[in-house]
């Protein structure tokens, strides 16, 4: 339950990055110095401190920040400003001397985000690993408070806004404290039950903890949850009108939301309908999130904790037969290794794990890489051991030789795939021939577009540039595929934009005109002869078009006129 401060996945990434940067000082190499500086600013309200003021407070408190000089402290403060934890103060500086002005002109104050992050960090450092007691008595107060609110809203004339606000604020403070204590306690419980090295005394203590304390919590929640759910059902129809009356009676800081739209306001818990929805989801399964209520999850967590306890009990029973955890023994051995000299460590490794020196098994080493006798097997070269020798201790081959694998089926599949690809390319070539001269009015298929781009790439690679009347021209921009019987010709047309449309997207070729024509299979000598009746169709625009023999000649006219002339 975090009030109405609803930002997260829907917030722009830049804002989320800015807020997360406020945590950077907790993982920086100078984290202890940054912590000391932030604690100075969090020690007073509306702190407006200059570098000399911070130095005095750091040296008075001692610790890692006491040894900082003014220059280093200034660098730390500026870094905290860049991370968003501090702000440069805008207060006027009053100084009687130039030296005093130079010392006091850089003043800093705490940002709201920086204060929140430092408060959370201090709370984590103070007791994050401690076992927190569950405030189960607050659940009874939540039950009572909801009953009083249900009585108020059912009274003639509705609830008094002032009395309703007092009970709602108290109710949500009590519920937030209870829910937070439950989360902390079960997180600690999961951390404890993950251990598999509990001895008899520890196991006895945790067994009593689970069987007594956890059972008491679960029973209290199971008893109060139906009563709280009934009170919520009674209050729910009256909530919108009740919250509206409370806002009209006491707007609080929420008035800033109307006067300053750019300012986000975090209202107190219980003033918005979303807070009540979170309260109801904790005790009842509304079906909106699909993972049950928190009460159901509490029962499941308790059941898993009891299962972990039984697993530890089984391990304790197996320990009587010697199947106990060796974690403590291994930790003791690791401490011996840590304090031992190198020679002693080798002796302990041999005694503990049986790691003796390397023994040669008759595998001849590489004659080109002789290894001296004093080289350790740990750093020496590796010798490949045959599988038969490694698994059976014998070099003799066993079994019969494997028959040659038949790849006929794979070859058949590959030939079928090649035939299908060839058919698709021929269909794409036919589509390009029919679309030549009207690319901007025809949407090509994916295969036809790929073939067109393939031919265009080859054509531009074969082209030659030359200067003509102060402008670049291209010659020989042609590419053909003899197997498909197709040829593409490109020439430069200043001001002409050729639009190539396809199902995968559109491509615009600036200052370029394209024409596709059919060619016959190469004759003897490699010459390509055009098929009769298949004349390249000009496109809209003016410029130079391909002439006989590959020369470029001017061409103009519309697509329709050129097509009629070609058919005639």
């Amino acid at each position: 339950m975090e009030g109405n401060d609803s930002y997260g996945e829907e917030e722009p990434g830049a804002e989320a990055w800015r807020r997360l940067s406020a945590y950077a000082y907790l993982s920086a190499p100078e984290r202890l110095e940054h912590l000391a500086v932030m604690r100075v600013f969090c020690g007073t309200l509306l702190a407006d401190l200059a570098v000399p003021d911070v130095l005095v407070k750091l040296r008075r408190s001692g610790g890692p920040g006491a040894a900082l000089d003014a220059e280093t402290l200034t660098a730390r403060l500026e870094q905290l400003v860049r991370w968003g934890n501090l702000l440069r103060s805008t207060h006027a500086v009053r100084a009687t001397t130039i030296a005093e002005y130079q010392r006091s002109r850089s003043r800093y104050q705490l940002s709201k985000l920086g204060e929140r992050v430092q408060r959370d960090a201090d709370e984590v450092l103070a007791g994050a690993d401690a076992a927190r007691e569950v405030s189960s008595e607050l659940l009874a107060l939540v039950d009572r408070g909801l009953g009083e609110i249900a009585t108020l809203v059912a009274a003639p004339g509705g609830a008094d806004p002032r009395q309703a606000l007092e009970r709602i604020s108290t109710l949500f403070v009590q519920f937030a404290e209870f829910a937070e204590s439950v989360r902390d306690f079960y997180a600690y419980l999961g951390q404890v039950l993950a251990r598999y090295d509990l001895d008899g005394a520890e196991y006895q203590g945790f067994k009593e903890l689970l069987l007594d304390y956890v059972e008491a919590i679960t029973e209290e929640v199971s008893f109060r949850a139906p009563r709280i759910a009934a009170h919520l059902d009674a209050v729910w129809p009256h909530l919108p009108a009740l919250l509206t009356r409370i806002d009209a009676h006491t707007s609080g800081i929420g008035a800033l939301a109307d006067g300053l739209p750019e300012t986000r306001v975090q209202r107190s818990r219980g003033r918005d309908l979303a807070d009540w929805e979170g309260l109801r989801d904790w005790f009842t399964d509304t079906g909106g999130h699909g993972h049950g209520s928190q009460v159901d999850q509490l029962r499941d967590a308790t059941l898993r904790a009891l299962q972990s306890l039984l697993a530890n009990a089984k391990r304790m029973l197996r320990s009587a037969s010697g199947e106990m955890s060796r974690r403590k023994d291994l930790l003791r051995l690791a401490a011996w290794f840590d304090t031992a000299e190198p020679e002693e460590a080798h002796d302990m490794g041999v005694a503990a794990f049986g790691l003796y020196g390397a023994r040669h098994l008759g595998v001849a080493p590489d004659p080109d890489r002789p290894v001296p006798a004093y080289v350790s097997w740990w750093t020496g070269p590796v010798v490949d051991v045959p599988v038969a020798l490694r698994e059976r201790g014998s070099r003799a081959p066993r079994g019969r030789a494997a028959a040659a694998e038949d790849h006929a089926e794979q070859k058949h599949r590959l030939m079928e795939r090649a035939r299908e690809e060839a058919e698709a390319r021929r269909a794409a070539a036919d589509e390009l021939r029919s679309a030549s001269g009207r690319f901007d009015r025809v949407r090509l298929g994916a295969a036809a577009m790929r073939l067109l781009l393939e031919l265009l790439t080859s054509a531009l690679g074969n082209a030659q540039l030359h200067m003509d009347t102060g402008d670049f021209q291209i010659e020989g921009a042609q590419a053909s595929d003899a197997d498909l019987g197709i040829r593409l010709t490109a020439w430069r047309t200043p001001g002409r934009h050729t639009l190539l449309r396809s199902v995968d997207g559109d491509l615009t070729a600036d200052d370029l005109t394209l024409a596709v024509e059919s060619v016959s299979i190469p004759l003897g000598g490699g010459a390509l002869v055009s098929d009769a009746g298949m004349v390249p169709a000009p496109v809209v625009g003016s410029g130079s078009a391909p002439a006989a023999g590959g020369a470029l000649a001017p061409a103009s006219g519309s697509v329709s006129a050129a097509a009629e002339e070609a058919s005639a």
Side-chain angles (χ1 to χ4, degrees), residues 535-557:
V535 181
V539 297
V540 179
S542 61
S544 57
L552 299 176
S556 62

Side-chain angles (χ1 to χ4, degrees), residues 299-356:
R299 296 192 188 99
D300 295 340
T302 304
L303 180 60
R304 289 194 298 270
L306 292 175
Q307 291 173 348
S308 300
L309 182 68
L310 292 176
N312 272 291
K314 293 178 181 178
R315 182 193 60 79
M316 297 289 292
L317 293 175
R318 288 196 304 266
S319 64
S321 60
E323 300 179 5
M324 61 183 301
S325 173
R326 305 302 300 271
R327 182 175 182 270
K328 292 185 178 179
D329 296 336
L330 293 176
L331 289 176
R332 186 182 302 111
L333 180 61
W336 291 347
F337 273 114
D338 186 56
T339 57
E341 297 295 331
E343 294 299 330
E344 297 176 352
H346 286 294
D347 295 339
M348 282 192 297
V350 170
F353 304 107
L355 296 177
Y356 297 92

Side-chain angles (χ1 to χ4, degrees), residues 279-529:
L279 176 62
R280 185 177 61 169
D281 291 341
W282 210 97
F283 292 98
T284 60
D285 184 9
T286 57
H289 39 66
H291 52 73
S293 65
Q294 292 292 325
V295 175
D296 297 333
Q297 296 184 31
L298 192 65
R299 296 192 188 99
D300 295 340
T302 304
L303 180 60
R304 289 194 298 270
L306 292 175
Q307 291 173 348
S308 300
L309 182 68
L310 292 176
N312 272 291
K314 293 178 181 178
R315 182 193 60 79
M316 297 289 292
L317 293 175
R318 288 196 304 266
S319 64
S321 60
E323 300 179 5
M324 61 183 301
S325 173
R326 305 302 300 271
R327 182 175 182 270
K328 292 185 178 179
D329 296 336
L330 293 176
L331 289 176
R332 186 182 302 111
L333 180 61
W336 291 347
F337 273 114
D338 186 56
T339 57
E341 297 295 331
E343 294 299 330
E344 297 176 352
H346 286 294
D347 295 339
M348 282 192 297
V350 170
F353 304 107
L355 296 177
Y356 297 92
R359 289 168 292 180
H360 297 283
L361 302 177
V363 180
D366 189 352
D368 298 331
R369 299 176 60 188
V371 181
Y374 56 82
V375 174
S376 171
W377 63 270
W378 190 268
T379 58
V382 178
V383 177
D384 294 330
V385 180
V387 177
L389 179 61
R390 185 170 63 248
E391 294 183 354
R392 300 185 301 273
S394 173
R395 293 187 176 89
R398 300 177 61 181
R400 61 181 181 180
E405 187 175 357
D406 186 10
H407 299 284
E409 185 177 354
Q410 298 179 6
K411 293 179 181 178
H412 178 71
R413 288 200 302 268
L414 292 176
M415 292 177 63
E416 284 294 328
R417 186 184 305 173
R419 188 179 300 108
E420 292 174 359
E421 293 177 355
E423 290 293 338
R425 286 180 64 85
R426 281 194 290 270
D430 294 339
E431 186 176 353
L432 286 181
R433 292 190 192 95
S434 63
S436 180
R438 52 193 185 94
F439 287 122
D440 56 343
R441 301 194 304 275
V442 176
R443 187 171 296 278
L444 301 174
M449 189 64 176
R450 285 196 298 270
L451 179 59
L452 178 61
L453 295 178
E454 177 185 336
L455 294 173
L456 178 60
T457 302
S458 300
L460 295 179
N462 297 332
Q464 296 181 357
L465 295 175
H466 70 92
M467 183 70 72
D468 185 11
T469 65
D471 196 2
F472 284 102
Q473 299 293 336
I474 58 175
E475 291 183 353
Q478 289 185 348
S480 59
D481 191 319
D483 294 333
L484 301 177
I486 190 173
R487 178 171 59 196
L488 180 139
T489 305
W491 63 92
R492 187 171 183 271
T493 309
R496 167 69 178 170
H497 304 289
T498 301
L499 178 61
L500 305 175
R501 300 165 58 87
S502 72
V503 296
D504 294 335
D506 299 344
L507 173 66
T508 303
D510 296 336
D511 299 337
L512 199 65
T513 303
L514 307 177
V516 178
E517 59 182 326
S518 296
V519 295
S520 62
I521 303 301
L523 299 175
L528 295 174
V529 180

Side-chain angles (χ1 to χ4, degrees), residues 2 97 99 141 178 219 326 390 460 511 537:
E2 292 296 333
T97 63
L141 299 178
F178 168 75
E219 289 180 354
R326 305 302 300 271
R390 185 170 63 248
L460 295 179
D511 299 337

Side-chain angles (χ1 to χ4, degrees), residues 93-169:
V93 177
R94 296 182 180 180
T96 57
T97 63
I98 296 178
E100 184 180 354
Y101 172 75
Q102 290 177 345
R103 288 195 304 267
S104 304
R105 63 178 178 175
S106 298
R107 304 185 68 85
Y108 303 88
Q109 64 185 34
L110 191 66
S111 68
K112 195 266 184 184
L113 180 61
E115 189 274 336
R116 177 69 176 271
V117 171
Q118 181 60 32
R119 176 156 40 96
D120 293 343
D122 286 333
E123 184 177 353
V124 169
L125 294 174
D129 296 333
R132 182 174 179 178
E133 184 177 5
V134 176
S135 305
S136 56
E137 67 279 359
L138 294 177
L139 197 59
L141 299 178
V142 171
D143 183 11
R144 186 189 309 168
L146 279 173
E148 294 175 354
I149 295 174
T151 303
L152 288 176
V153 297
D160 178 71
R162 183 180 59 83
Q163 294 180 0
L165 180 58
E166 291 177 357
R167 285 169 172 77
I168 288 174
S169 300

Side-chain angles (χ1 to χ4, degrees), residues 248-296:
H249 178 265
T250 306
S251 60
I253 198 174
L256 290 176
D258 300 329
L260 299 173
E262 71 279 0
T263 302
R264 294 192 313 110
V265 175
Q266 182 178 357
R267 309 187 70 188
S268 59
R269 293 185 177 96
R271 298 291 298 269
D272 291 309
L273 189 60
D275 301 332
W276 287 88
E277 291 175 349
L279 176 62
R280 185 177 61 169
D281 291 341
W282 210 97
F283 292 98
T284 60
D285 184 9
T286 57
H289 39 66
H291 52 73
S293 65
Q294 292 292 325
V295 175
D296 297 333

